[in-house]
Short mmCIF file of all heavy atoms in Angstrom, two decimals:
data_model
loop_
_atom_site.label_atom_id
_atom_site.label_comp_id
_atom_site.label_asym_id
_atom_site.label_seq_id
_atom_site.Cartn_x
_atom_site.Cartn_y
_atom_site.Cartn_z
N GLN A 1 21.35 -8.15 -12.07
CA GLN A 1 21.77 -7.07 -11.09
C GLN A 1 23.23 -7.39 -10.66
O GLN A 1 23.81 -8.52 -10.71
CB GLN A 1 20.84 -7.05 -9.84
CG GLN A 1 19.64 -6.46 -10.10
CD GLN A 1 18.84 -6.36 -8.77
OE1 GLN A 1 18.21 -7.31 -8.27
NE2 GLN A 1 19.02 -5.23 -8.07
N ALA A 2 23.91 -6.33 -10.22
CA ALA A 2 25.25 -6.47 -9.64
C ALA A 2 25.25 -7.34 -8.37
O ALA A 2 24.38 -7.28 -7.64
CB ALA A 2 25.76 -5.11 -9.32
N PRO A 3 26.37 -8.11 -8.21
CA PRO A 3 26.44 -8.93 -7.06
C PRO A 3 26.47 -8.02 -5.75
O PRO A 3 26.93 -6.94 -5.81
CB PRO A 3 27.80 -9.68 -7.17
CG PRO A 3 28.08 -9.59 -8.72
CD PRO A 3 27.40 -8.50 -9.18
N GLY A 4 25.78 -8.57 -4.74
CA GLY A 4 25.76 -7.90 -3.44
C GLY A 4 24.66 -6.92 -3.29
O GLY A 4 24.52 -6.33 -2.14
N VAL A 5 23.84 -6.68 -4.30
CA VAL A 5 22.69 -5.69 -4.08
C VAL A 5 21.39 -6.40 -4.39
O VAL A 5 20.34 -5.70 -4.45
CB VAL A 5 23.01 -4.51 -4.89
CG1 VAL A 5 24.25 -3.75 -4.42
CG2 VAL A 5 23.04 -4.79 -6.32
N ARG A 6 21.43 -7.64 -4.69
CA ARG A 6 20.13 -8.37 -5.20
C ARG A 6 19.31 -8.37 -3.84
O ARG A 6 19.70 -8.63 -2.68
CB ARG A 6 20.48 -9.70 -5.64
CG ARG A 6 21.28 -9.65 -6.91
CD ARG A 6 21.63 -11.03 -7.32
NE ARG A 6 22.36 -10.96 -8.59
CZ ARG A 6 23.55 -11.56 -8.94
NH1 ARG A 6 24.31 -11.87 -7.89
NH2 ARG A 6 24.03 -11.47 -10.09
N PRO A 7 17.89 -8.44 -4.15
CA PRO A 7 16.93 -8.48 -2.96
C PRO A 7 16.88 -9.80 -2.47
O PRO A 7 17.19 -10.89 -3.20
CB PRO A 7 15.68 -8.05 -3.57
CG PRO A 7 15.82 -8.35 -5.00
CD PRO A 7 17.23 -8.03 -5.51
N LEU A 8 16.62 -9.98 -1.24
CA LEU A 8 16.48 -11.34 -0.50
C LEU A 8 15.11 -12.00 -1.04
O LEU A 8 15.26 -13.31 -1.35
CB LEU A 8 16.46 -11.24 1.00
CG LEU A 8 16.08 -12.48 1.79
CD1 LEU A 8 17.27 -13.51 1.46
CD2 LEU A 8 16.02 -12.13 3.29
N ARG A 9 14.05 -11.28 -1.20
CA ARG A 9 12.77 -11.80 -1.58
C ARG A 9 12.32 -10.94 -2.67
O ARG A 9 12.21 -9.77 -2.75
CB ARG A 9 11.85 -11.87 -0.40
CG ARG A 9 12.15 -12.94 0.64
CD ARG A 9 11.21 -12.96 1.85
NE ARG A 9 11.38 -14.08 2.60
CZ ARG A 9 12.18 -14.25 3.70
NH1 ARG A 9 12.80 -13.10 4.07
NH2 ARG A 9 12.37 -15.40 4.27
N VAL A 10 11.59 -11.67 -3.65
CA VAL A 10 10.94 -10.94 -4.88
C VAL A 10 9.49 -11.58 -4.96
O VAL A 10 9.40 -12.73 -5.47
CB VAL A 10 11.71 -11.06 -6.09
CG1 VAL A 10 10.99 -10.47 -7.21
CG2 VAL A 10 13.06 -10.51 -5.90
N PRO A 11 8.47 -11.04 -4.48
CA PRO A 11 7.09 -11.53 -4.70
C PRO A 11 6.83 -11.24 -6.23
O PRO A 11 7.08 -10.20 -6.76
CB PRO A 11 6.32 -10.63 -3.84
CG PRO A 11 7.21 -10.00 -2.80
CD PRO A 11 8.45 -9.83 -3.54
N VAL A 12 6.16 -12.14 -6.83
CA VAL A 12 5.88 -12.10 -8.24
C VAL A 12 4.46 -12.55 -8.55
O VAL A 12 4.05 -13.61 -8.32
CB VAL A 12 6.79 -12.99 -9.21
CG1 VAL A 12 6.53 -12.75 -10.60
CG2 VAL A 12 8.29 -12.70 -8.85
N HIS A 13 3.58 -11.59 -8.99
CA HIS A 13 2.22 -11.79 -9.38
C HIS A 13 1.61 -10.45 -9.74
O HIS A 13 1.89 -9.37 -9.08
CB HIS A 13 1.48 -12.46 -8.30
CG HIS A 13 0.19 -13.06 -8.77
ND1 HIS A 13 -1.07 -12.51 -8.81
CD2 HIS A 13 0.01 -14.23 -9.29
CE1 HIS A 13 -1.93 -13.26 -9.25
NE2 HIS A 13 -1.30 -14.47 -9.62
N PRO A 14 0.77 -10.41 -10.79
CA PRO A 14 0.11 -9.14 -11.15
C PRO A 14 -0.96 -8.69 -10.29
O PRO A 14 -1.35 -7.59 -10.26
CB PRO A 14 -0.45 -9.42 -12.60
CG PRO A 14 -0.66 -10.87 -12.55
CD PRO A 14 0.52 -11.50 -11.79
N GLY A 15 -1.44 -9.67 -9.39
CA GLY A 15 -2.45 -9.31 -8.34
C GLY A 15 -1.94 -9.18 -7.02
O GLY A 15 -0.78 -8.75 -6.81
N GLY A 16 -2.69 -9.60 -5.94
CA GLY A 16 -2.42 -9.37 -4.65
C GLY A 16 -1.10 -10.26 -4.30
O GLY A 16 -0.96 -11.29 -4.69
N LYS A 17 -0.37 -9.53 -3.37
CA LYS A 17 0.78 -10.22 -2.87
C LYS A 17 0.82 -10.15 -1.37
O LYS A 17 1.57 -9.20 -0.80
CB LYS A 17 2.17 -9.61 -3.57
CG LYS A 17 2.27 -9.89 -5.03
CD LYS A 17 3.44 -9.17 -5.66
CE LYS A 17 3.15 -7.72 -5.94
NZ LYS A 17 2.04 -7.57 -7.00
N PRO A 18 0.06 -10.93 -0.64
CA PRO A 18 -0.11 -10.67 0.86
C PRO A 18 1.13 -10.88 1.58
O PRO A 18 1.15 -10.46 2.74
CB PRO A 18 -1.11 -11.78 1.12
CG PRO A 18 -1.03 -12.80 0.08
CD PRO A 18 -0.63 -12.07 -1.20
N GLN A 19 2.22 -11.49 0.99
CA GLN A 19 3.41 -11.63 1.78
C GLN A 19 4.34 -10.53 1.93
O GLN A 19 5.20 -10.41 2.65
CB GLN A 19 4.23 -12.87 1.11
CG GLN A 19 4.92 -12.56 -0.20
CD GLN A 19 4.05 -12.78 -1.34
OE1 GLN A 19 2.78 -12.56 -1.33
NE2 GLN A 19 4.49 -13.31 -2.47
N ILE A 20 3.97 -9.37 1.28
CA ILE A 20 4.87 -8.24 1.20
C ILE A 20 4.94 -7.59 2.59
O ILE A 20 6.00 -7.31 3.12
CB ILE A 20 4.44 -7.14 0.12
CG1 ILE A 20 4.71 -7.61 -1.21
CG2 ILE A 20 5.03 -5.77 0.59
CD1 ILE A 20 4.19 -6.55 -2.29
N ALA A 21 3.83 -7.50 3.25
CA ALA A 21 3.84 -6.89 4.61
C ALA A 21 4.64 -7.83 5.60
O ALA A 21 5.44 -7.35 6.44
CB ALA A 21 2.50 -6.74 5.17
N ILE A 22 4.51 -9.16 5.42
CA ILE A 22 5.34 -10.08 6.32
C ILE A 22 6.67 -9.92 6.01
O ILE A 22 7.60 -9.94 6.93
CB ILE A 22 4.75 -11.57 6.09
CG1 ILE A 22 3.37 -11.70 6.59
CG2 ILE A 22 5.68 -12.57 6.75
CD1 ILE A 22 2.61 -12.96 6.11
N ASN A 23 7.09 -9.85 4.77
CA ASN A 23 8.50 -9.78 4.41
C ASN A 23 9.15 -8.53 5.03
O ASN A 23 10.31 -8.64 5.50
CB ASN A 23 8.70 -9.78 2.82
CG ASN A 23 8.26 -10.99 2.17
OD1 ASN A 23 8.15 -12.07 2.88
ND2 ASN A 23 8.09 -10.98 0.81
N ALA A 24 8.45 -7.45 4.86
CA ALA A 24 8.99 -6.20 5.49
C ALA A 24 9.12 -6.24 6.98
O ALA A 24 10.20 -5.82 7.57
CB ALA A 24 8.09 -5.03 5.13
N LEU A 25 8.12 -6.82 7.60
CA LEU A 25 8.12 -7.03 9.13
C LEU A 25 9.25 -7.87 9.56
O LEU A 25 10.17 -7.48 10.42
CB LEU A 25 6.83 -7.50 9.58
CG LEU A 25 6.79 -7.76 11.15
CD1 LEU A 25 7.07 -6.48 11.96
CD2 LEU A 25 5.36 -8.31 11.51
N THR A 26 9.41 -9.06 8.95
CA THR A 26 10.53 -9.95 9.34
C THR A 26 11.95 -9.49 9.07
O THR A 26 12.78 -9.62 9.91
CB THR A 26 10.35 -11.34 8.74
OG1 THR A 26 10.32 -11.27 7.32
CG2 THR A 26 8.89 -11.94 9.07
N ALA A 27 12.09 -8.66 7.97
CA ALA A 27 13.39 -8.04 7.74
C ALA A 27 13.80 -7.07 8.90
O ALA A 27 14.80 -7.11 9.33
CB ALA A 27 13.40 -7.33 6.44
N GLN A 28 12.71 -6.26 9.22
CA GLN A 28 12.94 -5.33 10.34
C GLN A 28 13.27 -5.97 11.56
O GLN A 28 14.13 -5.63 12.39
CB GLN A 28 11.74 -4.46 10.47
CG GLN A 28 11.90 -3.25 11.47
CD GLN A 28 13.02 -2.39 11.05
OE1 GLN A 28 13.04 -1.75 9.92
NE2 GLN A 28 14.08 -2.25 11.90
N VAL A 29 12.49 -7.11 11.88
CA VAL A 29 12.78 -7.91 13.17
C VAL A 29 14.25 -8.49 13.11
O VAL A 29 14.95 -8.40 14.13
CB VAL A 29 11.78 -9.01 13.26
CG1 VAL A 29 12.17 -9.98 14.37
CG2 VAL A 29 10.40 -8.43 13.50
#
């Protein structure tokens, strides 16, 4: 990816990724 636009966090797994909701909430906070 181009510099400056890369995501802060990338969850990786084909199954459940329970941290997605936490990541979104803490970013908003």
